[in-house]
Amino acid sequence: MSTALVPGTFDPITNGHMDVIARAAQLFDQVIVAVAASQKKRPLFTLEERVALAQKATADMPNVTVEGFDDLLTTFARRKGANVVVKGLRAITDFEYEFQMTAMNYQMDTSIETLFVMSPPEYMYLSSSIVRELAALHADYDRFVPACVKEALEARFPVEDS
Ligand code: COA
């Protein structure tokens, strides 16, 4: 059985991430969405909240599960029996960062391969921090996130009565 990881901070999960997960789910028997604790990023949502949102968003994908992790990606992948990491590539600006991470991961475990999928144009410039900013400013961001994420962001950034 082939198992792939789709890792990230997912603070919160966006439709861009959903696109990567759906593509991975077509290519591999089993996909684990690996939600990194990423404490250094000071996430808006706790690890438990990010895992719960990703679980809700992927509930109708039968071969996708979601797990949080707090160690090295390669250690987590080995523990889960996954030998492929799937990542989304958006603009060319992603390349340098992804290249560095892939090279480091490869140094740590040569049995783990990283596979990149191209994001479609509508998600090219999407990121979790842009979504958080749109939510904080009460802008329209429905098309960028699953419904459960929109609900969670609205609760986090309620519209004040003036
Ligand atoms: N669509 C939309 N947004 C995307 C995207 C896509 N296809 N791909 C990435 N993004 C966004 C993310 O939302 C994130 O946005 P933000 O920075 O505005 O919050 C940004 O692009 C960076 O994403 P990503 O490259 O997935 O980084 P990350 O910080 O979310 O996750 C880990 C990186 C978790 C994979 C990496 O830090 C890791 O492996 N950590 C574990 C510890 C470890 O092994 N460290 C050594 C690594 S060499």
Side-chain angles (χ1 to χ4, degrees):
M1 192 174 80
S2 61
T3 303
L5 291 189
V6 178
T9 304
F10 302 105
D11 186 35
I13 190 163
T14 68
N15 286 343
H17 296 129
M18 293 297 292
D19 172 72
V20 176
I21 295 163
R23 285 159 190 252
Q26 289 193 326
L27 292 170
F28 297 94
D29 298 324
Q30 194 63 43
V31 171
I32 302 172
V33 177
V35 184
S38 296
Q39 281 317 323
K40 265 196 349 212
K41 277 194 152 186
R42 300 174 139 269
L44 172 68
F45 293 103
T46 65
L47 179 58
E48 292 69 26
E49 289 169 331
R50 285 177 278 135
V51 167
L53 285 172
Q55 273 167 342
K56 266 192 206 165
T58 59
D60 63 351
M61 297 179 176
N63 60 337
V64 175
T65 55
V66 182
E67 288 188 46
F69 74 104
D70 199 7
D71 44 15
L72 275 177
L73 182 64
T74 46
T75 308
F76 182 71
R78 222 175 301 129
R79 203 163 65 234
K80 291 288 149 189
N83 58 357
V84 178
V85 170
V86 180
K87 298 224 68 182
L89 265 190
R90 294 162 300 169
I92 194 83
T93 42
D94 276 351
F95 186 79
E96 189 73 34
Y97 174 68
E98 295 294 349
F99 189 77
Q100 185 186 15
M101 273 206 298
T102 302
M104 276 319 288
N105 285 335
Y106 192 72
Q107 296 266 323
M108 275 175 271
D109 192 332
T110 51
S111 71
I112 297 172
E113 200 58 71
T114 302
L115 192 86
F116 292 100
V117 296
M118 285 273 288
S119 291
E122 63 268 35
Y123 301 139
M124 276 288 172
Y125 296 99
L126 183 57
S127 73
S128 295
S129 49
I130 284 181
V131 163
R132 291 195 302 273
E133 187 167 347
L134 293 175
L137 296 171
H138 308 294
D140 177 15
Y141 57 95
D142 292 36
R143 63 188 179 284
F144 299 130
V145 292
C148 62
V149 170
K150 165 99 171 150
E151 220 172 89
L153 284 166
E154 279 174 350
R156 206 46 80 92
F157 300 110
V159 181
E160 313 268 328
D161 287 335
S162 54

